[in-house]
Amino acid sequence: MTKKLSPRKRQTAPAEGKLAAERIRETARDLFYRQGIRAVGVDEIVARAGVTKPSLYRSFASKDELAAACLRDRSDDYLRRFDAAMTKSPDDPRGGFRLWLEQLSQKATKPDYRGCALTNAAVEYPERKHPARLVAAANKREFRDKLRTAASAMGAREPAMLADGLLLLIEGAYASGQLFGTDGPARVLVEAADALIDSCCSEAAARSPAVRVRARSAIRGS
Amino acid sequence: MTKKLSPRKRQTAPAEGKLAAERIRETARDLFYRQGIRAVGVDEIVARAGVTKPSLYRSFASKDELAAACLRDRSDDYLRRFDAAMTKSPDDPRGGFRLWLEQLSQKATKPDYRGCALTNAAVEYPERKHPARLVAAANKREFRDKLRTAASAMGAREPAMLADGLLLLIEGAYASGQLFGTDGPARVLVEAADALIDSCCSEAAARSPAVRVRARSAIRGS
């Protein structure tokens, strides 16, 4: 005779599974970021999350898939924050971008800064088809597009060129922040970006109301 | 009765040990760079180098020490190449730096580019005291000093500031080159550096014979 589950049990079982998956994901996200993905084993993750190994494998097919899921969380969060910074001041795209950059400069000069989780994943997994690397590469492509939109809104003569220069500075802040800490080169991030933006946008264009209108529609369209 | 070694054997044994150590180091240097340090096991290194495990441990106390030795090789080579590029044209520090940067831009837009081995090691080993990380951090500090000397030679008003801006661009090329390949942001590396240098050096200073003299002595003294 099959034992019938009480209605309460039937309802809570999937919720518990979801809770465990969330806890695993959150724990792994933090451990992977702080120590590196390859440095963290599944045993450490389940022990820290207070779950069992089968519970992990019920939600994630493998450690690689768990890493990819964690990176997707980071990517979504990253791109959402950038969008929020840029849409906050649609009349002043340069000001919005500068504020976002200032926050990055502050983070990247903190002791124990660990850089960008997505860039770090690409360093750890050079194989093009690795699930973690695929998420990192997709994030970077999307961010590059967003930077081009921002560069266009700032009135750049060649938005793709300015965007790439800014991307070099940003990736440089992620990397050097890990190596130099509080006194690192990321302290000049905003000034260096200013110099690039100045050199890529004619002063007249930056002041022109027409550019302001273009800026607004570019931001809205992103 | 102790068997006496023939003179030939006594002479060749250390040489063979040195040869094996060199082969291990060369093999590991390549494997660590292409796949990442954590991804490569000692078994793979000895198999590829055609030596035995005891032979590896006779020359290197641990895999970590072998990784540190490989990174020291890379660091020495890197700093020597930079010095060579800068001393090649003592009358034109900006030109010498630009040539070095052009070569980096070309490398960083090749398919399967793997970035800077030293930066990658810092990503893989966040623990401050790890032997591999110590080598990476020392290399970056020394390179930052060399960039300051170069910025001073180029006539920068604030050499430390220009050097840090350039360091962000350079680290950005290492990181983004791994992610974007042939069409990556490193394609604008030289132009972005030009914009930074222009904004940090007054045109008059860049042309002044006094700066040229200062440039020569700064390079010679480095």
Side-chain angles (χ1 to χ4, degrees), chain A residues 33-36 38-39 110-114 118-128 133 136-137 140-141 144 148 160-161 163-165 167-173 175-181 183-189 191-193 195-196 199, chain B residues 33-36 38-39 110-114 118-128 133 136-137 140-141 144 148 160-161 163-165 167-173 175-181 183-189 191-193 195-196 199:
Chain A
Y33 183 58
R34 300 251 50 98
Q35 302 180 30
R38 283 195 193 272
K110 278 191 179 157
D112 299 323
Y113 176 67
R114 267 292 280 163
L118 296 139
T119 305
N120 292 357
V123 169
E124 286 200 86
Y125 295 97
E127 319 92 78
R128 292 286 178 274
R133 192 191 177 86
K140 296 295 168 180
R141 279 196 303 273
R144 195 188 197 187
R148 285 178 178 173
M161 202 175 155
D164 278 355
L167 190 47
L168 291 180
L169 290 176
I170 292 164
E171 290 292 340
S176 65
Q178 293 188 61
L179 278 151
F180 290 98
D183 184 39
R187 71 197 171 98
V188 308
L189 178 62
E191 289 83 350
L196 274 197
S199 77
Chain B
Y33 183 57
R34 303 253 45 103
Q35 302 180 32
R38 284 196 194 269
K110 277 190 179 158
D112 299 323
Y113 175 67
R114 267 292 280 162
L118 296 139
T119 304
N120 293 357
V123 168
E124 286 201 85
Y125 295 97
E127 319 92 80
R128 292 286 178 271
R133 192 191 178 86
K140 297 295 169 179
R141 278 195 303 273
R144 195 187 197 189
R148 285 178 178 174
M161 202 176 155
D164 278 356
L167 191 47
L168 290 180
L169 290 176
I170 292 164
E171 291 290 341
S176 65
Q178 293 187 61
L179 278 150
F180 290 98
D183 184 39
R187 71 196 171 100
V188 307
L189 178 62
E191 289 83 350
L196 275 195
S199 78

Side-chain angles (χ1 to χ4, degrees), chain A residues 135-146:
Chain A
V135 178
N139 166 277
K140 296 295 168 180
R141 279 196 303 273
E142 199 171 340
F143 182 56
R144 195 188 197 187
D145 284 343
K146 285 183 188 296

Side-chain angles (χ1 to χ4, degrees), chain B residues 82-91 219-220 222:
Chain B
F82 185 77
D83 283 346
M86 293 305 294
T87 46
K88 209 186 262 177
S89 54
D91 291 331
I219 292 288
R220 273 181 199 141
S222 76

